[in-house]
Amino acid sequence: MTDKHNAFENLESRLQARKNEYDAISVPEAAASQAVQAGIRQASRKRKTRLRWLTSSISAAALVLLFTGCIRVSPAFASFVEQLPGMESVVSLIRQDKGLMMAIDQSLLQKVGIADEHDGGSVTVEGIITDESRMVIFYKMKGIKDVEKSGFDIDLLDENGKQLPVAFSYASPHADSDAKDPVYENFIDASFPNETSPPDVLTVVFKSRNAAKPGVWKVTLPVDKNLTKGMKKVIPVHQLLVIDGQRIQVKQATMYPTRVVLDVQLDSSNTKKIFGLSNLQLVDEQGRAWRTDTSIGEDTRSIYFESMYFSKPKKLTLQGSGFSGLDKKELDFTLNLKTHEITGGPPGLQMLGSKVKGADLTIDFSVPDSMENSFVLSFSKVKDSSGHSYQVPGSSWSPGYGKDQNHTTVSSTIENGGKLHGELQMQISTYPSRVKAPFSLEIPIDN
């Protein structure tokens, strides 16, 4: 038996042990849902200033899902562990992203290993992988108290100390063991908008939210953009997709080592506001499906998929089961806070009640649908009778929390709305409505 085979066997044994640990974790469904919604609320607030997204701190729940099934080491997984030993638990968070793992297996991961250490705590950026569209930053924390409980904020700065104009997500890091002084690991996933490229020098700033022991750690590192230089591939499409009478122009697909970006244009004459396309995937000639995770934009929209860059497909087909959306005339409605009466809006939407929490007002709505695998009721505009606008940073819900099994109660918080009374003008930005209309579109590839 070779040393390499022994290494693989040892790695699989460690992973199986980690899987057994996570299998034993009890994650209440309602608690996980509330954590997700807390993350969504934070995301809405942050997005207004620095275009960032924050994911919720439910690492245990995510890992339980990711560790289902048989533990086997892929070449890409082994490549990551060889380049960044000791971060097996982090790679298990991204191993479902086939494109990213293939990019790592192509030796596109830049090893860093730079740390900032003071006051007994340290943060180390172990490595990054980046191209013109995306940057993933792997890091470790040690000696910082209550990381999972108190949380932290992150800033990404360029060589001039200015905020990078990027959207990025991160979750609370998880401990690699139950040791007295555990090491916490995770990653930051950043997206570069059009006409923005990675900086030559990056500074990652970690700011603890622990009021009893605050701290700031800064790690500055050079970014090796040559690793993926010239790898961008643009595939013109220019085809019209019609779904249930709604017109969507598919403009182009751009392949990067870390992901594929599909640019689409929603027709302004559409009668429905489309929140998102359902069960969207790209399928190659071998039947392999490449999933999507998010999109950016309104009528002009970029949709992100796993990258099949290194699999070199000969054919791609865009497939989906329909979309989530509402008639545009149902987006706006009037709400009477005293009588609970709703004028306009989607059928079945009801106000159940409201309560004041500090300076804020929380309104409970009954929605005739489930939030599972769907958009949550949220609002883009709220105005009082005088025309003053209010922010609604997010909405929360829990499975089974409704007047019956066919309804869900959604709680929406209006910032500084504690003194509101009378009528409100509200505009819906997302809603859990689905239109079933399967579609398929061939995307030409010139190899």
Side-chain angles (χ1 to χ4, degrees), residues 15 33 101 133 179 190 205 216-217 248 251 297 319 357 372 393 399 432:
L15 288 171
S33 175
M101 295 305 292
S133 177
V205 183
V216 177
W217 289 262
I248 302 173
K251 298 172 8 181
Q319 296 179 353
K357 294 182 178 179
E372 298 291 347

Side-chain angles (χ1 to χ4, degrees), residues 110 112 114 125 127-128 137 199-204 219-223:
Q110 176 189 341
V112 178
I114 299 176
V125 173
I128 64 173
I137 305 162
D200 294 318
V201 177
L202 172 70
T203 296
V204 188
V219 178
T220 299
L221 58 130
V223 178

Side-chain angles (χ1 to χ4, degrees), residues 98-99 102 235 255 260 280-291 305-319 440-445 447:
K98 299 187 292 293
M102 282 193 286
I235 303 171
M255 284 191 182
V260 170
L280 201 60
Q281 60 185 8
L282 289 169
V283 181
D284 65 16
E285 72 281 359
Q286 298 182 41
R288 292 177 296 186
W290 308 83
R291 65 184 177 85
F305 294 84
E306 293 175 291
S307 177
M308 68 291 297
Y309 188 97
F310 294 105
S311 69
K312 298 179 180 179
K314 298 178 181 178
K315 175 185 175 183
L316 282 176
T317 303
L318 179 67
Q319 296 179 353
S440 178
L441 180 70
E442 298 292 328
I443 295 179
I445 295 181
N447 290 314

Side-chain angles (χ1 to χ4, degrees), residues 246 266 268 270-275 298-299 301 323-335 342-347 349 365 376-382 424-433:
Q246 309 306 302
L266 279 62
S268 60
N270 286 342
T271 59
K272 295 181 183 291
K273 169 71 178 290
I274 296 176
F275 308 132
E298 289 293 331
D299 286 346
R301 192 172 299 183
F323 63 89
S324 177
L326 275 182
D327 286 340
K328 291 181 178 179
K329 62 183 180 182
E330 296 177 344
L331 296 173
D332 295 281
F333 65 89
T334 300
L335 172 66
I342 292 177
T343 304
L349 179 65
F365 292 94
V376 177
L377 170 65
S378 62
F379 300 96
S380 55
K381 292 181 183 179
V382 175
L424 297 179
Q425 300 294 324
M426 307 188 75
Q427 185 176 83
I428 294 172
S429 58
T430 59
Y431 193 79
S433 59

Side-chain angles (χ1 to χ4, degrees), residues 34 80 91 155 187 218 239 254 298 330 370 418:
Q34 290 169 355
F80 181 98
V91 78
D155 289 326
F187 65 94
K218 296 183 179 180
Q239 295 190 59
T254 307
E298 289 293 331
E330 296 177 344
S370 169

